[in-house]
Amino acid sequence: MGLWNWFERAGPSGFGSSSTAEQVTEGIDATHLTAIVTGATSGIGKETARVLAKRGAKVIIPSRSMESGLRVKESLLEENPNAKLHVMEMDLSSLNSVASFSRSFNSSDNHLNILVNNAGIMACPFQLSADGVELQFATNHLGHFLLTNLLLDKLKATAKETGIEGRIVNVSSMAHRYSSNSAIQFESQKLNDPSKYRTYDAYVRSKLANVLHANELSMRLQEEGCNVTANSLHPGVIPTNISRYANSMAIPFALMRPFLKNIAQGSSTTCYVALHPNVRGVTGKYFANCNETTPSAQSRDKDLGKRLWEFSQELIQELSRPT
């Protein structure tokens, strides 16, 4: 447990920063649920998949390679031989790969109750995705935006057929609060210009996009009267693979380590929002330490959320046109 957690008390939910994913899901029966968890091959995504499977859910693990995904599956089965785990190939930074994954899943007999948009990269050097989009935005937001849209009919149909609320969970970050005016300009020319690239600004932009996406999606689902919710969250600051470029930031993670959450604590808010009955009917909200909290004013800007949605749709359509 990090030193910071000693100063944190449980919130209204009964849980707080020191709570683990197992603790917040204790006693919950998820045997009737199917979940997709992106980024489940390591870190808090893997722990999220492990705990959802421990509670009985069927968990789909998208992986950039079948080999790495199957290694994770085998390691989880060693602990829980009865876990219902399925690996499917998907590279979140590639729109074609996301579309291919979605077609395969949608054509299966699987229901879909929970979509956890967890995968992410942080503060990496400037790179473009296979589609020519700045890599942090492509991975952290655009891939998840397309994946969610392509799986939305399956989520809605499952909720209608089963009567069980569908849940979409966007794993964002408290970093979304630090967006500047330059960080929230969703314009492809500026987004993909290496001369304008700042590693942390790009990360902040993508994390702000996660919250805006969940909020705009929540409004659209409510307008349709769908039994599907969409929420976003901050998992905490955790020393996982996502921090491998963090020494380029002002404070190296090594100095912060005594104040960080561990992986079991870092996945608790995700599992709480995905499974806990207290969150039933709650949508368009932002969580931290397993409790609702208020995100930044920019992330609550409905016009900005609509602009991001339209920009994302237009960018995907542009990139999908035959050349």
Side-chain angles (χ1 to χ4, degrees):
M1 180 187 295
L3 294 176
W4 180 254
N5 295 317
W6 289 107
F7 302 99
E8 291 287 322
R9 295 182 179 180
S13 69
F15 304 111
S17 61
S18 63
S19 300
T20 67
E22 287 200 19
Q23 288 170 342
V24 305
T25 59
E26 187 174 359
I28 295 176
D29 179 8
T31 54
H32 53 300
L33 302 178
T34 299
I36 293 174
V37 182
T38 69
T41 55
S42 65
I44 63 173
K46 181 179 178 181
E47 178 68 359
T48 298
R50 183 189 76 83
V51 173
L52 293 182
K54 184 180 180 71
R55 301 306 175 212
K58 179 191 290 187
V59 180
I60 312 300
I61 299 174
S63 177
R64 276 177 295 189
S65 75
M66 289 299 292
E67 182 181 3
S68 61
L70 289 172
R71 279 199 303 268
V72 170
K73 177 181 176 178
E74 288 170 9
S75 70
L76 295 177
L77 286 173
E78 286 177 6
E79 177 194 332
N80 179 9
N82 297 318
K84 296 175 287 187
L85 303 167
H86 300 271
V87 178
M88 295 178 65
E89 191 168 357
M90 185 182 78
D91 179 354
L92 195 60
S93 69
S94 164
L95 299 180
N96 281 337
S97 182
V98 171
S100 177
F101 170 90
S102 302
R103 280 194 300 271
S104 295
F105 184 83
N106 285 332
S107 65
S108 73
D109 294 330
N110 286 306
H111 279 151
L112 181 58
N113 306 95
I114 301 166
L115 173 61
V116 179
N117 291 322
N118 163 82
I121 55 175
M122 176 183 181
C124 60
F126 180 80
Q127 300 173 65
L128 293 177
S129 71
D131 301 296
V133 179
E134 187 277 308
L135 193 60
Q136 291 191 78
F137 190 80
T139 303
N140 297 354
H141 168 66
L142 198 63
H144 282 133
F145 178 84
L146 178 61
L147 178 67
T148 303
N149 280 1
L150 294 178
L151 295 177
L152 208 49
D153 284 344
K154 176 74 85 168
L155 279 157
K156 294 175 185 177
T158 299
K160 187 174 182 179
E161 290 171 19
T162 64
I164 300 170
E165 176 184 86
R167 297 188 184 185
I168 299 166
V169 183
N170 281 5
V171 179
S172 179
S173 168
M174 67 181 294
H176 84 276
R177 298 182 183 279
Y178 306 125
S179 58
S180 62
N181 288 334
S182 61
I184 63 171
Q185 292 174 355
F186 302 111
E187 301 173 28
S188 57
Q189 286 186 332
K190 294 180 180 178
L191 183 70
N192 300 328
D193 184 346
S195 69
K196 293 180 170 58
Y197 183 75
R198 302 293 181 272
T199 58
Y200 194 62
D201 278 354
Y203 177 69
V204 164
R205 180 191 294 113
S206 70
K207 294 290 100 179
L208 173 61
N210 292 155
V211 185
L212 289 167
H213 173 219
N215 291 349
E216 176 68 15
L217 177 58
S218 173
M219 287 192 295
R220 289 169 180 256
L221 290 168
Q222 288 180 82
E223 287 173 0
E224 290 183 39
C226 299
N227 189 23
V228 179
T229 64
N231 294 290
S232 57
L233 62 91
H234 168 57
V237 185
I238 306 121
T240 64
N241 289 340
I242 198 174
S243 64
R244 60 188 176 276
Y245 298 109
N247 282 335
S248 66
M249 296 161 55
I251 304 176
F253 265 57
L255 299 180
M256 298 170 62
R257 192 170 293 275
F259 302 95
L260 306 183
K261 287 185 175 185
N262 59 39
I263 287 175
Q265 295 164 342
S267 58
S268 63
T269 305
T270 305
C271 289
Y272 176 79
V273 177
L275 278 189
H276 206 281
N278 284 355
V279 190
R280 187 175 295 122
V282 176
T283 188
K285 302 297 182 182
Y286 175 79
F287 291 77
N289 297 325
C290 302
N291 288 274
E292 282 186 44
T293 189
T294 304
S296 71
Q298 285 176 335
S299 71
R300 290 178 279 122
D301 185 330
K302 293 181 181 180
D303 289 337
L304 185 60
K306 185 177 180 181
R307 279 173 47 206
L308 171 64
W309 187 283
E310 292 171 349
F311 169 70
S312 301
Q313 282 189 319
E314 290 167 3
L315 182 56
I316 288 170
Q317 288 171 358
E318 178 184 332
L319 295 171
S320 301
R321 290 192 193 106
T323 55

